[in-house]
Amino acid sequence: MKLRKVTAATAVVLALATALTACGSDDKSDGGSSGGKTIKIGIKFDQPGLGQKTPNGYTGFDVDVATYVAKQLGYDKDHIEWKESKSADRETMLQRGDVDFIAATYSITPEREAKVDFAGPYLLAHQDVLLRADEKGIGEPKDLNSKKLCSVTGSTSAQNVHDKLAPKANLKEYPTYSACLTGLQNKAIDALTTDDSILAGYASQAAFKGKFKLGGFKMTNENYGIGVKKGSDLKAKINSALEKMVSDGSWQKAVDANFGPANYKNEPAPKIGNIVK
């Protein structure tokens, strides 16, 4: 009889333990600050000021935006798994489910919208040029005629300027933006072209502080969006998070922190769904 009582009591304890374990599992499935699941976010790893992997973690405007959005979705910093999203891989990563969303200087275009959905835009950038701080002979795009114009190998930015604005520009292709910056600093080239946000990020590095300036030419409109898988309900949730980020001042704070040293004259925060052609 005594053995039976012990066995029955043990059974009660085990049942309670099982119930508590189940409750704990349910709490963790919520993810985010409650602990448990992670969210996978795609960013660039090699763009200073936007998305950069450093020995101390991840930094940049896209990182700040993604971190804020993740927080609104219920995930704190410790529950973010950062994934490198190179330009050519972004649609595939979303379609395969390798990431939950991507914030990586991801311009919204009709071709991309056919494959993935976009929240945002969260930044309106423009193709521009970066010049030496003491440059006085280049005040508008046509002044790039006969000048050495650099962009990275495979980019269409320099070719766009050559074809549409300065047909006599002397195009130079370097393997990286950092190489272009060194060439600009050493006067091997006269100007570097790509999105103004990317240029501002590079120019904001401590090693280049005060050495470069943006031309302010605004040659194209680049609407940066957050990519999600086609049909994902995350789009609406991310849009709400972006609207809050703008309204509470966090968006402008992130702009100033990441682009301020280059005197980047950013456009106001774009309205959700407003794509500037």
Side-chain angles (χ1 to χ4, degrees):
M1 179 64 71
K2 188 175 182 180
L3 181 59
R4 285 183 180 176
K5 287 182 178 179
V6 172
T7 302
T10 302
V12 171
V13 171
L14 287 172
L16 286 172
T18 301
L20 289 171
T21 301
C23 289
S25 297
D26 288 343
D27 288 342
K28 287 185 177 181
S29 68
D30 291 337
S33 57
S34 64
K37 291 184 178 179
T38 60
I39 188 167
K40 297 177 181 179
I41 303 175
I43 56 169
K44 294 290 180 67
F45 277 15
D46 59 353
Q47 285 187 341
L50 287 151
Q52 186 177 27
K53 183 179 181 180
T54 74
N56 298 317
Y58 300 88
T59 64
F61 180 70
D62 284 346
V63 174
D64 289 346
V65 170
T67 301
Y68 185 99
V69 168
K71 184 69 173 178
Q72 298 305 306
L73 295 176
Y75 299 88
D76 57 30
K77 290 181 180 180
D78 293 337
H79 291 87
I80 297 174
E81 185 177 346
W82 300 107
K83 297 282 190 178
E84 183 174 17
S85 298
K86 296 180 179 179
S87 296
D89 299 334
R90 290 177 297 201
E91 285 83 35
T92 301
M93 291 181 72
L94 289 168
Q95 291 167 342
R96 285 193 313 223
D98 296 342
V99 291
D100 294 293
F101 68 80
I102 290 177
T105 59
Y106 203 0
S107 295
I108 302 171
T109 67
E111 294 78 16
R112 290 170 178 163
E113 286 184 301
K115 300 176 182 177
V116 300
D117 285 340
F118 285 97
Y122 64 91
L123 184 72
L124 176 59
H126 307 281
Q127 187 180 342
D128 200 355
V129 295
L130 194 69
L131 308 167
R132 286 184 293 276
D134 60 357
E135 175 63 61
K136 297 180 180 179
I138 301 175
E140 54 184 320
K142 70 176 184 179
D143 294 333
L144 294 168
N145 281 309
S146 76
K147 300 293 186 180
K148 300 183 187 71
L149 179 64
C150 184
S151 194
V152 296
T153 304
S155 170
T156 60
S157 297
Q159 193 64 49
N160 287 340
V161 175
H162 181 271
D163 292 347
K164 300 174 183 178
L165 300 167
K168 295 182 181 179
N170 184 4
L171 303 186
K172 299 290 184 181
E173 287 189 330
Y174 282 34
T176 64
Y177 289 117
S178 295
C180 281
L181 279 170
T182 300
L184 185 59
Q185 186 175 2
N186 296 337
K187 299 186 178 182
I189 61 169
D190 300 303
L192 162 60
T193 186
T194 188
D195 294 358
D196 54 7
S197 58
I198 296 174
L199 295 173
Y202 276 97
S204 294
Q205 295 177 94
F208 298 125
K209 189 174 181 180
K211 295 181 179 179
F212 303 112
K213 64 181 180 181
L214 289 163
F217 295 168
K218 297 183 178 181
M219 294 180 281
T220 64
N221 295 320
E222 306 296 335
N223 300 270
Y224 289 176
I226 292 181
V228 298
K229 190 173 184 178
K230 202 75 174 170
S232 173
D233 62 357
L234 276 181
K235 177 179 176 179
K237 296 176 182 178
I238 293 173
N239 279 336
S240 295
L242 291 174
E243 288 175 339
K244 183 176 180 181
M245 187 178 188
V246 172
S247 66
D248 70 13
S250 298
W251 182 89
Q252 188 61 53
K253 183 178 179 181
V255 169
D256 294 341
N258 291 292
F259 303 130
N263 296 316
Y264 177 55
K265 296 178 176 60
N266 64 282
E267 298 279 5
K271 294 188 180 299
I272 299 301
N274 183 26
I275 309 300
V276 179
K277 302 298 184 180

